[in-house]
Amino acid sequence: MPELPEVAAHAERLSAGFAGTPLARFEPMHPAVLKTFDPRPAAAASKALKEVGHRGKYLLLRFGEGNGGYETSDLTFVVHLMQAGRLRIDTNKARKPRGGIARWTFADGPALLLTEAGTERRAGVWLLAGDPGAVEPLARLGPDAHTIGRDEFAQRLAAASERVHGFLRDQSHLAGIGRLLANEILHTARISPFANTSRLDGDAVDRLHAAITTSIARGLAAEREREDMGRSQDRPSDVHHRVGEPCPACGDTVRSVEYRRYRVAYCPTCQTGGKVLADNTTSRFLK
């Protein structure tokens, strides 16, 4: 699933290419894609695209007048790509594009096409009036991960009392971090993915907070070099896609804990004092 660096860079590309262009129409091409019924999509027609922004893993297509903050007349399409969705420039505007589930057609030039591979159709679009951050699905999000201050971060860690890998991926704690970033952040911070958030000392909190900033900045810099959103395999990583390979920091073998839908990648030497985490969901360490 695209994470904060990929979504933020893609928002920049789309904003640069489409900002200021009036919307002709929005066309849902699958019955499940539009998650809201009021306001109606026709209300956004003729409004200019102010910008494409982001909040966590969500893209925000904001339509309205003027260049200031959110106004009551603004309409924002909130887009969640989920695992297999992509929002791409559509120059062909085919009547039945492959994988197409929604399309924004502009008054001039190309359209934007939301596609989703596979058959699950989990990607979604919400149309919201005014400030979209005040209502679902954005209202439940924690602060964007790269914006949180150290003290608030420490407070959230202490209050959670859970495994730190799960904490980082919980969008109500921090918005924008997924599996790849969680693995990379914890490796950079030299912290076990199974460490309890409430037991991290001040030095560990400092390292973890700094690692969030550097890992997101690394991902954003790499993504800005691209012309379109890439695959997970294209993103910079030291452990996430390197299970079984030597750790670039110490040379130990990168290992993983396998779950049904994902894996936690880590380096024993860098993160767990040399201990190998048990490859199941119930035990903490191999004896």
Side-chain angles (χ1 to χ4, degrees):
M1 181 183 296
E3 301 177 49
L4 194 152
E6 295 77 46
V7 172
H10 199 51
E12 293 172 359
R13 288 189 289 265
L14 296 179
S15 196
F18 288 86
T21 307
L23 180 71
R25 65 182 180 278
F26 169 75
E27 178 187 4
M29 307 172 79
H30 187 276
V33 68
L34 186 61
K35 309 298 184 182
T36 52
F37 63 90
D38 184 36
R40 304 295 295 174
S46 79
K47 289 182 179 290
L49 179 65
K50 283 188 172 183
E51 64 176 354
V52 180
H54 70 93
R55 178 76 169 88
K57 300 178 184 180
Y58 292 84
L59 288 164
L60 310 180
L61 283 69
R62 178 181 169 199
F63 291 86
E65 308 300 328
N67 298 312
Y70 281 106
E71 302 173 14
T72 57
S73 60
D74 284 351
L75 293 174
T76 302
F77 289 93
V78 178
V79 181
H80 200 310
L81 300 174
M82 296 301 291
Q83 187 72 32
R86 293 295 183 268
L87 184 62
R88 294 194 167 108
I89 297 174
D90 178 18
T91 56
N92 294 329
K93 303 179 186 178
R95 189 169 66 89
K96 292 184 178 181
R98 182 176 181 180
I101 57 175
R103 180 156 50 201
W104 291 259
T105 300
F106 292 86
D108 299 300
L112 285 174
L113 180 66
L114 177 61
T115 64
E116 188 172 15
T119 59
E120 289 189 355
R121 297 294 181 261
R122 299 176 62 201
V125 178
W126 294 255
L127 179 56
L128 306 174
D131 181 1
V135 294
E136 293 297 332
L138 304 184
R140 66 178 179 82
L141 298 180
D144 278 0
H146 65 308
T147 67
I148 190 170
R150 191 271 182 198
D151 291 344
E152 181 184 354
F153 181 57
Q155 292 170 4
R156 286 177 176 262
L157 287 168
S161 189
E162 62 186 81
R163 286 179 175 177
V164 66
H165 196 279
F167 173 92
L168 291 173
R169 293 174 16 248
D170 188 330
Q171 302 302 293
S172 68
H173 293 319
L174 300 173
I177 296 175
R179 298 165 191 167
L180 184 150
L181 272 178
N183 288 333
E184 296 305 309
I185 288 167
L186 290 169
H187 179 255
T188 299
R190 305 298 188 258
I191 294 173
S192 167
F194 284 1
N196 189 286
T197 57
S198 65
R199 298 175 185 170
L200 296 175
D201 60 23
D203 180 62
V205 172
D206 288 342
R207 298 198 314 273
L208 188 57
H209 184 255
I212 290 173
T213 301
T214 57
S215 297
I216 291 176
R218 178 191 184 192
L220 185 57
E223 195 67 18
R224 281 172 171 162
E225 295 296 318
R226 302 182 57 84
E227 295 183 356
D228 196 1
M229 187 179 290
R231 306 168 303 161
S232 175
Q233 291 83 353
D234 299 325
R235 302 171 196 168
S237 65
D238 291 330
V239 292
H240 184 77
H241 290 300
R242 299 180 182 275
V243 174
E245 300 178 13
C247 168
C250 72
D252 194 0
T253 301
V254 175
R255 298 177 182 265
S256 68
V257 178
E258 301 287 339
Y259 293 87
R260 185 171 63 88
R261 297 181 63 89
Y262 69 98
R263 65 168 40 167
V264 174
Y266 70 99
C267 169
T269 295
C270 292
Q271 296 175 252
T272 62
K275 294 181 178 179
V276 177
L277 300 175
D279 192 9
N280 58 62
T281 60
T282 56
S283 297
R284 290 205 172 192
F285 298 103
L286 288 173
K287 300 299 184 181

